[in-house]
Amino acid sequence: MKGTSIILVVVSILQSTFSIDPPQLQPFEFPNDLEMGSKVVAVCILREGDPPVTIVWKKDGQQLSHGGRLTIEQVNIDISNLKISIISPEDVGNYTCTATNSAGSDSFTAALVVRGPPFWLHEPINSQAVLGASQTTIHCSAGGYPRPKLLWFKKGPSGSLTPISRSYKMKVLDNGTLLINDVKETDSGTYLCQVENGVGESLEKAVRLSVHAPPLIQRERETLTFKRGETGLLSCATKGELPLIVKWLKNHGNLEPWSNSHETYTEDTFEGIKSILVLRNIQPHDSALYACKVRNNFGTDELSFNVIINEPPESPYQVALSDIRGRTARVTWQISTTLTAITQFIVRFWPTTGKKTTRRLQEETLSFDKRTLLLRDLHPGTEYTVEIQSENSIGFSEPSDPVRFTTMEEEPSSAPVDIKVAAVDSQTLMVSWKSPPREHWNGVLKGYYVSYKVKDSSNRFSYETVTTDDVIDNEIAIQGLNFGTEYVVTVKAFNSAGTGPSSEEVMCATLRGDPPSAPDLRLVSVNFDALKLDWRTPQINLPVLQYNLEIKENGKSKQQLHLPGTINNYQLMHLKAGSKYEVSLAAYNTFGKGRASAPIVAFTEITGESSDENSNTEPFYLRLYFIIPVATSVTVIICAVVVAWACLKKEHIVEKNQPIYVAYGTRSAYGPPPILDSCNSRILENGYDIPWDTPGYRISGSNDGNYTKLKPGNLQT
């Protein structure tokens, strides 16, 4: 032992000193004419490689060990033998010899194939039962070498065998299994599986296939109509494997086989049985849902009949609404217990309020077994009317008594639109708007919140509450504001449920001064083609730049004439004789147009009858052209007291034709006005025309270079 240890140490030193070659095996193979019961030896030879080398045998990846019919012999360091003394079917497989040393390993695999007769891998069972109309398989598989050939046959009544060929109905899978689709009773019988490979005796096994039929009811008319007093027959023809048991039901409850109003009996048929339900002296209470239910040991089937009495149903009653919300409500109803022959219900509902031509009728159809419906897509805060009709195959019932209900209100879902803000003077902004679309009110609008604050201010919004009882034309004047300050304005609508969303923010600045007040207009004289006017403007700090004279002839649309601010009288020429004229005058300064004077009405004389005050001897105050304006002025003053606030309304005189722009102040050239899209300033809305002498109306040293939209007057003077 001590000498052996010394040798191993020397070998180890030598291996560490010199390089080691990895193993390399010589190929081997098994004879190809082996049969069961014979013996075989496989030799694994190491052709190259330095010791020490370890040799291992494996079968199908599993390591083999010495014992039983298997012998593993290490002849020397280069040769290993594998011996099988008596070959059996389980010895067939792939055998691998692997040689390993410290430098690597090498393997070689050879297949052991043994000629042998076929043997069962999955032997068919003797009998098999399946249900009709299903898919079934009959298993049959075998082993052996060469690989066995498998055939299926069906045995006929005379004992003859018919080969089964591949088709949709039947086919043999690769593993030998027979697949049968859509099994029918005709597929019952004996099937034979044969296996052979030319070695030894072949195998065969017969399988008895029995097909069982669950109940199958012949489909007939499922809705039957009878007249009152008739005798009705409900037939239920069933085929399937006996015994078949039949049960009749009415409205899902068991029906006794016999009573004073009905009876049942059964007849045998070639394929099964037929059960008949007889309804005698049919009455409205016989209208119901009947069912024929059939069962056997292999399944069940059911056929329903909807029996209807041949007369229109009665109207639903006790129509009631519950769980009413903003957009949904639940309606329930009852029907007469003596009339159940209903095929469906028709529920109609529509908004009661609003124009009749715009009311949208909604209709829902429900099956005969329903007694409730959730009404959807309703509008909040709206009164609705609902009514219900029953229907059967004969016709409709009368509508139920109409029921009205009102949905709950919700906050307005839309903001006011077309927000306009105009500067009236240095402390007042006029705000106007249009209501949200009617379908977004979600109830009854109670009013509006008009909110405002100084632009870029961190302060919270102040607001004015405007109720629908107080507001006219959705307009309000916000007063007491700061001089020449820009404000942000929004408007929100509210109803009983709450406040809707805010409108877009509109910005507008108060004026840095006030427009002039209304001139004191007076009619001096009138003749057949001319009117002479003079006026007086109250004293203010800023000069009048222009006057706007409005003339209406015989009630037609107004015409405008713009006059220089340096004059205080004017004569209208080239008028029509015998015509009615209505004139008013407004003054402009750098902050816009002031209020117009009370209108004066005058009638021109007939041609040739001059009424000039120098040629007429009667007192001036008795002349017609003086009396009429005075009377008209008195009337206008009285009306003005009633609707004084209307003086703040904007006068939209800017037309859509191409505007002309004129610069005032320090600017000396024509050009477009500054963009003020957030503020409908009265200076812009009521812009005045080109002055008589533009350069003359520039104010030297002024910093108010305001532009105004202008339109030339079209009245000849």
Side-chain angles (χ1 to χ4, degrees), residues 132 190 208 246 277 300 337 347 384 423 448 488 504 530 581 669:
T190 300
R208 176 64 184 175
V246 181
L277 171 62
T300 62
T337 57
V347 180
Y384 283 85
Y448 303 88
V488 177
E504 60 177 346
Y581 287 89

Side-chain angles (χ1 to χ4, degrees), residues 166-235:
R166 186 181 183 88
S167 66
Y168 166 76
K169 179 68 177 177
M170 296 184 184
K171 57 183 175 181
V172 180
L173 304 181
D174 293 339
N175 62 359
T177 299
L178 175 62
L179 174 67
I180 305 176
N181 288 311
D182 191 19
V183 178
K184 299 184 181 302
E185 292 185 33
T186 54
D187 296 322
S188 298
T190 300
Y191 293 82
L192 185 66
C193 176
Q194 287 186 351
V195 181
E196 61 178 13
N197 67 348
V199 178
E201 295 182 359
S202 62
L203 300 176
E204 67 176 32
K205 184 64 178 289
V207 179
R208 176 64 184 175
L209 181 67
S210 58
V211 179
H212 300 285
L216 181 62
I217 301 175
Q218 180 179 340
R219 312 327 276 184
E220 297 185 0
R221 287 187 305 146
E222 298 184 7
T223 299
L224 302 175
T225 302
F226 303 101
K227 293 181 181 180
R228 184 195 297 263
E230 283 186 334
T231 297
L233 300 180
L234 280 64
S235 177

Side-chain angles (χ1 to χ4, degrees), residues 285-301:
H285 64 264
D286 292 319
S287 176
L289 181 67
Y290 294 85
C292 168
K293 192 170 185 178
V294 185
R295 65 180 176 86
N296 65 6
N297 294 330
F298 306 102
T300 62
D301 196 11

Side-chain angles (χ1 to χ4, degrees), residues 595 633-647:
R595 290 184 296 169
S633 299
V634 173
T635 303
V636 171
I637 290 172
I638 295 174
C639 295
V641 172
V642 179
V643 291
W645 66 269
C647 296

Side-chain angles (χ1 to χ4, degrees), residues 357-510:
T357 55
T358 60
R359 297 175 186 170
R360 184 169 65 95
L361 174 68
Q362 293 176 266
E363 184 175 289
E364 295 281 350
T365 301
L366 289 84
S367 61
F368 67 93
D369 56 341
K370 304 296 183 182
R371 299 292 186 275
T372 182
L373 173 65
L374 183 64
L375 306 181
R376 303 177 185 273
D377 300 328
L378 304 181
H379 199 79
T382 304
E383 184 182 72
Y384 283 85
T385 300
V386 60
E387 65 180 24
I388 306 172
Q389 277 186 291
S390 304
E391 182 187 9
N392 62 14
S393 60
I394 306 304
F396 296 93
S397 70
E398 291 295 324
S400 65
D401 293 335
V403 176
R404 291 189 177 186
F405 67 97
T406 301
T407 54
M408 296 177 61
E409 290 193 358
E410 293 180 1
E411 299 90 342
S413 56
S414 182
V417 296
D418 198 15
I419 312 300
K420 295 181 180 178
V421 184
V424 177
D425 54 35
S426 61
Q427 293 183 317
T428 307
L429 293 177
M430 179 65 71
V431 183
S432 65
W433 63 90
K434 291 182 180 179
S435 301
R438 180 64 181 83
E439 60 271 17
H440 294 165
W441 289 9
N442 297 339
V444 178
L445 288 187
K446 298 295 185 181
Y448 303 88
Y449 295 123
V450 181
S451 303
Y452 60 94
K453 73 172 183 177
V454 176
K455 181 183 176 183
D456 299 329
S457 170
S458 60
N459 296 334
R460 300 178 64 180
F461 277 93
S462 301
Y463 67 91
E464 299 284 345
T465 302
V466 182
T467 64
T468 53
D469 296 333
D470 299 334
V471 69
I472 300 178
D473 293 337
N474 289 352
E475 187 176 64
I476 185 176
I478 303 176
Q479 299 176 328
L481 304 178
N482 297 334
F483 169 87
T485 304
E486 190 169 12
Y487 284 84
V488 177
V489 181
T490 64
V491 184
K492 295 186 287 188
F494 67 88
N495 58 18
S496 298
T499 305
S502 297
S503 68
E504 60 177 346
E505 293 186 350
V506 178
M507 288 169 284
C508 189
T510 55

